[in-house]
Amino acid sequence: MPRRAQGPNESVDASIAKALVGTFGLTSLRPLQREAMLAGVEGRDALVVLPTGGGKSLCYQLPPLVTGKLTVVVSPLIALMKDQLDGLRLLGYPAAAAHGNLTPAEKRQLWRELQGDSLRLLFVAPERLFLDGFVAQLTSLDVGAFAIDEAHCISQWGHDFRPDYRRLADLRAVFPNVPFQAFTATATPRVREDIVQQLRLHEPEVHVGTFDRPNLTYRVLPRVELVDQVAEAIERHPDAAAIVYCISRKDTEALAESLRKRRIDARAYHAGLDAKERTQVSERFRDERLRVVVATVAFGMGIDRGDVRLVVHAALPKSVEGYQQETGRAGRDGLPSECLLLYSAADAAKWRQIMERSAAESGVAPDVLQAQLALLFEMQRFANRPQCRHSMLSRYFGQDYPHDDCGACDVCLEELESVPAAHVIAQKILSAVVRTGQRYGMRHVLDVLRGSRTQNVVDRGHDAIPTFGLLKDFSASTLASFVDQLIDAGDLVRTDGEYPILQLAPVAREVLSSERQAVLVLPKRALEAAPQRTRRKKGRATAAAAVAVRGDDSTAEMSQELFDHLRAVRRELAHSIGMPPYIVCNDATLEEMAAARPKTTAQLLDVKGMGHKKVESFGARFLAAIAEFGSA
Ligand code: ADP
Ligand code: ZN
C-alpha cells in the first residue's frame, strides 16, 4: 500500500510552504508543482510532464523535506546531477550522488550518511544503479520514493531512448511498496503511455503542464547566408548569452571560427573535443566568461544558465522533441528570448543518412530506426508549415493553443517576404533541372543558372542551353534557398545518398504550365529581438526594463544599471565559492532586487529566490552593492 501522510491537505500545504520559504527562499509554486508535491508527500505514483524551466526538480526536491525520508533520484547524466547537487548544498539541503567517480573514501562516507539517515536526496545514474549490488544495499535503507528524471529516455518512441532506462522496471519488483514519480519535459501522448507502462506505475496521477513558453519568440527561416544570419541574430541580443546548434562537429568548428572573425566571442563544443577543452568551454560559458557556444546536441544537458537569450539551430534538429528541449534552454528565467531555426531542405536528407548509417553500425532494431525517421519527418513538417509556431508546438504535445496570433513567431509577425516574380524564377529553376537532364546536384544546376563557366558546365556544353545565366542576379545562397523551397513544396526531388541529384516531381508540371503559381519567400531584414507583446524601447529585453517601460525612462536606466552591477557582484560571489553564477541566484532574482532595492536583510528575504541560507551567505554583499549604488 502506498504510504499516506496523516491529516488533511491543509497541514501538508503548510509543511510544503514552510520548506518552500525556509529552504528554497520561494514564496509561490508554479503550475502543477503543488499537485506533484502532494503526490510525493502522500506517496502516490505520478507522471509529471512540465516544459523545460517549469520547475520539475523542485517537485522531487521538496517532498523529502516534509516526509523526512530519502528519495532516490534517477538521472541520466552525472553533469546534470552535479549541477543540482552544488545548488542544493548552497541551500543547506542534505543531498548526495552515487557515481563511478567517487573515491573509496567518498563511497564509505556516502554510505555512512545514508545509514545515518541524514540525506534526503540521493542522485544516481541508471547504469550505476545496477552495479555491484547497489540495489540490494538500497533495500537496507528506508527509501521513501523514487523520482525518475528525464523519464522519456525509457521509451523507444521518444527522441532520447536509453536502453539502460528499461531496467528501471526491475526496481519496481524490488520495491513494490515504494512510490515512483516520473518526470519529463518532452513527451508526446504516445511516449507518456509508454513511460507509465514501462515503469509499471500503479494508477498514476498524470500531471501535464502547459507546453507553451510565451516568453520565447520562435523563428523558422530559410537558411540563406548562414554566418550573416547567425551573427545578425546574436547582435540582436547585445551582451547576452547564446547557444548555436549544428549537426556535425566540423560545422560547429567552422561556424565558431567565422563568428570569431566577426569579433563575436564564440567557441565550439562537441563530443570529439578532449575532456579538458570541453570542460573549459562549458565552465567558461557557465561562469559568463564566454558569450556564444556553437555546439552539437552534446551541449546543454546540465547547462542550467537561465539567462540564455538566444538559441539558434543552424540546421534542422532531428525531432520536435529535441527542438523543444534545445530551444527550452533559452529564457529559463522567464524573460523574453529568441529561438531561431535556419532551415534547408538538405538537412533532413543529411539526418536520414546519419540515422541509417548509425543504425547499421550499432545494430539497432529496425523499428527504432523507423521511429527516429518518423520523428524527423514531424520536425520537417513543423519547419515547412507556415503556421503559428507556438500553436504547432502545443498541438504536437497534445495541447490546444488558445490564441490566433501569438505575436511571437515568424509566421504571426509576418517576417517572411514573398519574392517578386517568384513564379518565373521557379520556372527557370525547374527548367534548368530539365535541360541538364535531371542528372546533377544542386551545385551544378546553380552554376548553370548563375552563368558560371565551370569546367563541368563547359565540358557538358551546359553554357549553351537557354537557361544558362538566366538567374545571374541572385547569389548562390539565395538560389539554394529557392531550390530548397521548391523541394519543400514538392516540385523538386533531391535523391538521398552521397551524391544527391535534383529531379522534377510530377506536380512540377503545374508550375511549368502556370496552372499553379509558385511562391518563394525570403526573410525580412532587421528582425526585432523581443516578442511584440513585451518589446521594449532599446537594448536588452529584461523584465526590469519591461517594468521600466511603463515607468519613466530614467528609472528604467537606473534599474538596468543596477541589474548589470548586481550581475557583476553575482559573478564575483560565484567566483569566490568556485561555483557558476546561476547557482548563486538567477536573473529574475537579480531583476527583482534591482527593482525593489532592499535595504535590510528582511527586505532581501522577500525577494524571490533569496532563502535564509542564501541571504546568510550572500546577503551582506548584495545589500552593500545596492546601498553603494543608491548613493552613487
Ligand atoms: P526543469 O527541470 O523543469 O527544466 P528546473 O527545475 O531546473 O526546471 O527549474 C527552472 C528554474 O526555475 C530554476 O532556476 C528554479 O530554481 C526555478 N523555480 C522552480 N520552481 C520555482 C518556483 N516555484 N518559484 C520560482 N522559481 C522556481
Ligand atoms: Zn505565432
Side-chain angles (χ1 to χ4, degrees), residues 568-578 584 617-618 621-622:
V569 170
R570 177 178 63 181
R571 265 198 298 277
E572 214 178 85
L573 284 168
H575 189 70
S576 72
I577 55 168
V584 172
S617 315
F618 312 122
R621 183 71 189 89
F622 278 128

Side-chain angles (χ1 to χ4, degrees), residues 201-216:
L201 299 184
H202 298 316
E203 299 176 4
E205 290 180 7
V206 179
H207 299 292
V208 183
T210 305
F211 267 86
D212 188 46
R213 297 276 309 274
N215 62 317
L216 301 185

Side-chain angles (χ1 to χ4, degrees), residues 338-361:
E338 175 179 353
C339 307
L340 171 64
L341 164 55
L342 297 170
Y343 163 64
S344 147
D347 299 341
K350 191 164 174 182
W351 273 124
R352 270 197 297 278
Q353 236 175 2
I354 294 173
M355 287 171 179
E356 277 157 12
R357 198 182 326 125
S358 95
E361 280 166 12

Side-chain angles (χ1 to χ4, degrees), residues 388-390 406-407 409 412:
C388 174
R389 312 290 172 191
H390 280 272
C406 75
C409 81
C412 295

